[in-house]
Amino acid sequence: MTTIGIIGAGEVGGQLARAAIKCGYEVVIANSRGPESLRALVTELGPKARAETAEKAAEAGDFVIIAVPLKLVNNMPADALAGKIVIDTNNYMPWRDGQYDVVDAGEKTEHELRQEQLPRSKVAKAFTHIQAPRLFLSARPAGTPDRHALSVSSNFPEAVELVTRLYDQFGFDTVDNSPLSESWRSGPGQPAWHAHAHQTREQLVANLNAARRLPR
Ligand SMILES: NC(=O)c1ccc[n+]([C@@H]2O[C@H](COP(=O)([O-])OP(=O)(O)OC[C@H]3O[C@@H](n4cnc5c(N)ncnc54)[C@H](OP(=O)(O)O)[C@@H]3O)[C@@H](O)[C@H]2O)c1
């Protein structure tokens, strides 16, 4: 039985937990306010889910999903995440997160910053251009014509492989948009981001290629 640690229990964390349990995973989920505050969600998710602190969710996961906006000062449990694949759903939103100069200048992507904050983990950017409620609505079995595709970016092929498997189980094809320095192509405001989950593999490739650096 594979256990997924999920840090962040909001729109994305909650929905990914539902999808993971539907696919047979166990889930250990955390937020910032503590496990007690997640009682209703865990009851809804059923016996394959439990709530913990972020550190314990990171320790429990065979791999871990971070569904928490990036902060300039690391607020994720780096030691507990060491040696693990970490799937990061973060999208940089200056109105919410503040201004990140190196990202605005195009010197680094926000996911390279997450990788720097978690130097002993293998970070993959994934699930960033699908609205959480669409995770079930857009899912289709493998082989369905015009199945929708999602992008993944990572500096680690084994992380891309894991996300590709997870996307397939959740109902999506994959486009590999690695390494993390290329992940801006699927970021907010870009064609791939505006198309959300409504794009086939071919359309997603075209949208990633059509990306242009945006003024911030
Ligand atoms: N919403 C979408 O459809 C969507 C789609 C793709 C990507 N994204 C991106 O994914 C990220 C998460 O989005 P969201 O909509 O799920 O946000 P959200 O609903 O605001 O949830 C954020 C979650 O992160 C938790 N959190 C914050 N700081 C934490 C910490 N230090 N340790 C542990 N947990 C912490 C919050 O816990 P508390 O509530 O206890 O503070 C909350 O459960 C964002 O970067 C967003 O841009 C969102």
Side-chain angles (χ1 to χ4, degrees), residues 34-85:
E36 273 303 302
S37 64
L38 289 171
R39 201 181 292 168
L41 177 64
V42 165
T43 302
E44 177 211 319
L45 291 172
K48 283 187 174 168
R50 66 188 159 90
E52 283 289 0
T53 62
E55 192 171 4
K56 287 200 171 132
E59 281 167 6
D62 295 299
F63 62 93
V64 179
I65 295 171
I66 293 181
V68 178
L70 183 80
K71 292 276 182 291
L72 274 180
V73 176
N74 180 36
N75 62 349
M76 291 294 110
D79 288 340
L81 292 168
K84 302 196 181 197
I85 291 172

Side-chain angles (χ1 to χ4, degrees), residues 6-15 29-34 37-38 53-55 66-71 74-77 88-93 95-97 111 114 126-134 188 193 196:
I6 303 183
I7 304 177
E11 275 206 86
V12 177
Q15 195 71 335
I29 191 161
N31 62 4
S32 74
R33 285 166 291 148
S37 64
L38 289 171
T53 62
E55 192 171 4
I66 293 181
V68 178
L70 183 80
K71 292 276 182 291
N74 180 36
N75 62 349
M76 291 294 110
D88 183 11
T89 75
N90 164 65
N91 274 321
Y92 168 43
M93 302 282 180
W95 56 265
R96 179 194 63 198
D97 304 333
H111 295 87
R114 182 79 88 190
F127 294 105
T128 56
H129 59 88
I130 179 165
Q131 290 164 315
R134 303 267 347 155
W193 190 80
H196 299 294

Side-chain angles (χ1 to χ4, degrees), residues 156-167:
F156 298 92
E158 56 271 47
V160 171
E161 212 171 284
L162 184 138
V163 170
T164 302
R165 209 163 48 241
L166 198 60
Y167 277 166

Side-chain angles (χ1 to χ4, degrees), residues 122-206:
K122 297 171 182 177
V123 171
K125 173 187 185 178
F127 294 105
T128 56
H129 59 88
I130 179 165
Q131 290 164 315
R134 303 267 347 155
L135 202 64
F136 287 104
L137 297 173
S138 296
R140 298 284 181 275
T144 306
D146 295 335
R147 193 190 200 202
H148 294 148
L150 297 172
S151 68
V152 57
S153 303
S154 178
N155 297 343
F156 298 92
E158 56 271 47
V160 171
E161 212 171 284
L162 184 138
V163 170
T164 302
R165 209 163 48 241
L166 198 60
Y167 277 166
D168 191 47
Q169 290 168 339
F170 284 12
F172 299 89
D173 286 341
T174 299
V175 173
D176 183 1
N177 179 44
S178 295
L180 288 178
S181 57
E182 285 297 300
S183 65
W184 63 272
R185 290 179 179 278
S186 61
Q190 298 293 352
W193 190 80
H194 281 304
H196 299 294
H198 312 289
Q199 44 198 331
T200 62
R201 191 187 273 140
E202 291 70 25
Q203 289 166 336
L204 178 53
V205 169

